[in-house]
Amino acid sequence: MSKMRKFLAGMLCASMLIAAGGCGKDVAPETKIKEENSDAGETAASSEDGGMDNFNLDGTLPIVKDPSQMEPIKFAVVIGAESTVPTAEKEMTKKFMEETGIPIEWQEIPADGSAEKINLMLTSGDYPDVFWNGIGMDMAVQYSDQGVFIPTEDLIQQYVPRLAAIYEDHPEYKQGSTTPNGHSFGFPYIEEMYGLVRTPGPFMINTQWLEKVGKEMPTTIDEFVDCLKAFKEAGDLNGNGIADEIPYALEFGNGNGFGSFDSFYFFTGAFGFADSICSGNAMADHLRLIDGKITFAATDDAFRKTCDFFHDMYVEGLIDPDSFAPSGTGNPLYISKLAQPEAVVGAFQCWTPRDNLVDLSVREQYEPIPRLTGPDGKCGNVVNFSEMQDTSMVAITDKCKYPEVVAALVNYCMDPEISITLNWGAIGYTYVKGDDGKLHFNLDENGEIILQNGWQYFSEQRNNTSPCRGSLAVLNEYYDQYVDYTWDAVPILEGQRVNGKEECLEEIESVPKMMMTMEENNKLSQIYGTIANIVNAYQMDAVMNGTDDVGWDKYKEDLKAAGVDELVNTYQQVYDRFCSFE
């Protein structure tokens, strides 16, 4: 048994420090937690550091009564390019360090190349006590088996009651943060926003163009195509004297923005079987969960029929030719078309149309399209993602002397108001607190966030007032009690709902984000890229050239040879195990 685990077990058994060898049971052998930790694990809360009586671990503040009686805890934090204020000087950092009394020494890691830098730290043994962020679920599994990260399930039960209560109400989050060996390694980041990340961004159409061509808002896919044809035939709809109008733009094969750029998948449900892609859980692309069974949607006839539908639009000249550009260059091209001073695109789907349609007069021309009806169903899809977006956002290493103090800090961060302001920015910057006690976004008369200190973008203000994000939880019910719904996400959610979000979430069961073994993850990593390339290549070719039985059969044979059955079977195995966790 590791000394760190003995300490945790002793804490649970006696609520006091017991020398290694206490009454807790051994960690399951498959975790392979190191038998010899650094002296840090052995001296946790030792008398020379002030002892347990220096800590308030019951939710009382400060957590540390006398910071001078303990060594600072070393935290590593990944910072983005938008962050120019040192982490220790950010408003939210100063607030929680002052209120908790926890002495923290911050080590900043630039986001560019951070995964490689963190891996090097972990393999070399030169790593901190705690990672505030930067540890993904796969990394947590990989290094937990080497004893680098300590299990947190017992810490959660004893010192993080707010998270324990969330797990009680949302067992899928606890399931999703449990590794194949039955342990958790870290504390999660949860952001519920009425399912915002569960469906792609709004599918929009230019209503001023509709009015000019005498068309109503479409309700079927045939009516949608008629609108696009009218856009093409009308000529200079934006009045700039240039023939630059594009009836419909998208980007094939791009799962960025929760699948929002490749709106091909919005239409698959209209042909009988909804499919989706999502960069946040890419190896689960094209998977569907039907009555507990994993299936691969891109081999269903609906996929081929959607290709034929798009081929017809392509032949008619309704689709932007740049839609077929490689993803590495297509994305900037696609977004640039949505940021022109005049509207040039008739219909599109994008995660943040509010940001991309920078001119208000252009932005106001677009409205979301209702859930269109097709020959075999309705449009709309759900991505394989979770509102628990990270399982191990805060991860404690075996070097940490004070794991219970870190856990108490996570409990502090799980306070609704603290979670909200850690996530989106400090009061006095992102928020003002109203007489109703509720946090309201600090907006100007145009409904835009008021920026301070010369910051030009909301992301700068957000990242310069908070060490985004750490372990926190923002739940749906908070929007009624504590805070306005997120300012810049309002048009996204409104558009999604018009697109049929609520119906889709009820009708389409997605594959959850789940922890895999290293063996499972490596197996999928070896075959997923080939499978994705086959699907993307077939999709583009079929849209441009049409489909036939020979090509369709060969496509499915190629997928089989690439290991699509193995991918499905592996996910089925992972899902069955996921369902077995309590």
Side-chain angles (χ1 to χ4, degrees):
M1 176 190 287
S2 74
K3 295 173 183 176
M4 180 60 69
R5 282 294 295 167
K6 289 176 182 176
F7 166 68
L8 293 176
M11 286 296 299
L12 288 173
C13 295
S15 297
M16 60 183 290
L17 184 64
I18 296 177
C23 64
K25 67 179 181 179
D26 287 340
V27 177
E30 63 267 29
T31 63
K32 301 177 183 176
I33 295 178
K34 287 186 276 189
E35 285 298 320
E36 296 197 14
N37 282 333
S38 67
D39 292 339
E42 189 172 353
T43 60
S46 65
S47 58
E48 65 181 358
D49 286 328
M52 291 302 296
D53 57 0
N54 191 34
F55 303 148
N56 289 316
L57 302 176
D58 60 356
T60 304
L61 294 177
I63 295 170
V64 176
K65 301 173 188 176
D66 185 355
S68 69
Q69 295 299 308
M70 63 181 287
E71 297 178 12
I73 304 176
K74 296 179 180 180
F75 275 65
V77 57
V78 176
I79 58 169
E82 305 92 345
S83 179
T84 57
V85 176
T87 299
E89 298 177 16
K90 295 178 180 181
E91 291 298 319
M92 289 307 300
T93 313
K94 292 189 292 186
K95 176 181 175 65
F96 73 68
M97 289 180 66
E98 178 181 341
E99 292 187 350
T100 66
I102 301 174
I104 297 175
E105 180 181 308
W106 293 95
Q107 176 185 358
E108 296 184 339
I109 303 172
D112 186 23
S114 61
E116 292 80 5
K117 293 169 187 172
I118 291 173
N119 269 311
L120 182 60
M121 294 167 68
L122 295 174
T123 55
S124 68
D126 184 18
Y127 50 83
D129 302 318
V130 179
F131 285 90
W132 176 260
N133 56 15
I135 303 299
M137 56 195 300
D138 295 336
M139 193 179 292
V141 172
Q142 176 183 352
Y143 288 99
S144 65
D145 282 352
Q146 300 176 28
V148 171
F149 300 115
I150 69 168
T152 52
E153 64 270 14
D154 293 343
L155 288 170
I156 291 169
Q157 286 302 313
Q158 188 160 358
Y159 301 116
V160 199
R162 289 182 173 122
L163 178 57
I166 292 171
Y167 280 169
E168 186 72 23
D169 292 337
H170 301 272
E172 70 276 12
Y173 294 156
K174 183 176 181 181
Q175 291 170 292
S177 64
T178 303
T179 61
N181 59 32
H183 293 287
S184 296
F185 292 94
F187 306 93
Y189 162 60
I190 301 169
E191 185 187 81
E192 293 184 342
M193 296 182 67
Y194 302 133
L196 192 76
V197 298
R198 300 283 313 284
T199 60
F203 192 34
M204 315 286 285
I205 195 166
N206 191 310
T207 52
Q208 286 192 12
W209 289 14
L210 285 177
E211 185 176 352
K212 288 180 179 180
V213 299
K215 296 289 184 180
E216 300 290 330
M217 179 69 75
T219 60
T220 69
I221 63 173
D222 288 340
E223 291 176 1
F224 173 72
V225 173
D226 285 342
C227 292
L228 299 186
K229 290 178 179 178
F231 292 165
K232 181 176 182 292
E233 294 165 0
D236 189 18
L237 286 169
N238 59 20
N240 66 355
I242 304 172
D244 56 358
E245 284 78 7
I246 300 166
Y248 176 28
L250 70 158
E251 184 182 3
F252 288 99
N254 194 324
N256 288 337
F258 305 100
S260 302
F261 299 141
D262 192 349
S263 51
F264 173 96
Y265 295 95
F266 179 78
F267 289 91
T268 52
F271 296 97
F273 202 76
D275 190 5
S276 67
I277 55 177
C278 176
S279 60
N281 193 16
M283 289 196 297
D285 283 350
H286 311 295
L287 297 182
R288 280 285 308 277
L289 186 59
I290 307 292
D291 297 329
K293 297 300 180 184
I294 305 290
T295 61
F296 193 76
T299 54
D300 190 271
D301 285 344
F303 187 84
R304 178 182 175 181
K305 291 176 181 178
T306 308
C307 289
D308 289 332
F309 171 70
F310 271 76
H311 174 66
D312 291 341
M313 287 193 287
Y314 176 73
V315 170
E316 293 278 353
L318 306 180
I319 297 176
D320 179 15
D322 285 337
S323 297
F324 303 94
S327 294
T329 59
N331 182 17
L333 280 172
Y334 177 67
I335 297 301
S336 70
K337 288 177 169 60
L338 307 182
Q340 298 299 312
E342 301 92 10
V344 298
V345 178
F348 69 93
Q349 188 177 45
C350 189
W351 179 243
T352 54
R354 179 172 191 158
D355 294 337
N356 301 126
L357 302 174
V358 290
D359 190 297
L360 186 62
S361 64
V362 175
R363 186 189 307 168
E364 290 177 340
Q365 296 180 33
Y366 292 90
E367 291 184 15
I369 299 172
R371 192 180 185 192
L372 303 174
T373 300
D376 301 300
K378 291 185 176 181
C379 292
N381 57 335
V382 176
V383 299
N384 295 323
F385 200 66
S386 169
E387 290 181 293
M388 182 179 71
Q389 298 181 33
D390 196 290
T391 62
S392 308
M393 184 64 84
V394 169
I396 306 174
T397 75
D398 60 347
K399 292 188 178 183
C400 184
K401 295 181 180 181
Y402 312 102
E404 72 285 356
V405 173
V406 177
L409 171 62
V410 171
N411 190 62
Y412 165 88
C413 293
M414 291 280 170
D415 171 84
E417 186 171 296
I418 299 300
S419 281
I420 291 163
T421 46
L422 275 174
N423 199 30
W424 285 297
I427 296 173
Y429 294 84
T430 299
Y431 293 105
V432 292
K433 197 161 189 176
D435 294 337
D436 56 2
K438 192 173 176 180
L439 296 179
H440 302 282
F441 281 92
N442 191 18
L443 304 178
D444 62 19
E445 64 275 7
N446 295 320
E448 302 288 347
I449 200 80
I450 297 175
L451 301 174
Q452 303 181 43
N453 296 340
W455 294 320
Q456 298 183 29
Y457 306 102
F458 173 55
S459 60
E460 286 184 327
Q461 181 157 292
R462 178 182 187 180
N463 285 278
N464 280 317
T465 62
S466 174
C468 304
R469 295 177 168 110
S471 182
L472 56 86
V474 180
L475 306 181
N476 288 333
E477 55 264 33
Y478 291 1
Y479 303 114
D480 294 326
Q481 302 179 53
Y482 303 105
V483 68
D484 296 335
Y485 189 79
T486 310
W487 149 81
D488 56 345
V490 170
I492 301 175
L493 181 66
E494 290 175 346
Q496 289 175 323
R497 284 176 165 168
V498 173
N499 291 161
K501 179 188 199 74
E502 309 301 340
E503 288 181 359
C504 291
L505 288 174
E506 184 162 340
E507 296 170 7
I508 304 170
E509 187 174 6
S510 61
V511 177
K513 287 187 71 175
M514 303 173 292
M515 290 279 210
M516 297 184 183
T517 65
M518 287 303 299
E519 180 182 2
E520 290 164 342
N521 190 70
N522 290 339
K523 182 189 301 182
L524 294 183
S525 297
Q526 291 170 7
I527 63 176
Y528 168 74
T530 302
I531 291 170
N533 288 338
I534 292 170
V535 175
N536 292 341
Y538 180 85
Q539 178 193 31
M540 288 194 189
D541 181 72
V543 170
M544 289 189 284
N545 301 309
T547 73
D548 56 42
D549 292 342
V550 173
W552 177 246
D553 290 341
K554 184 180 184 305
Y555 161 70
K556 292 190 289 185
E557 290 169 3
D558 289 345
L559 284 173
K560 195 173 188 68
V564 69
D565 291 339
E566 186 175 15
L567 182 145
V568 169
N569 292 337
T570 300
Y571 263 98
Q572 187 69 58
Q573 172 182 304
V574 174
Y575 179 70
D576 291 342
R577 183 177 62 232
F578 171 89
C579 293
S580 71
F581 292 139
E582 295 181 359

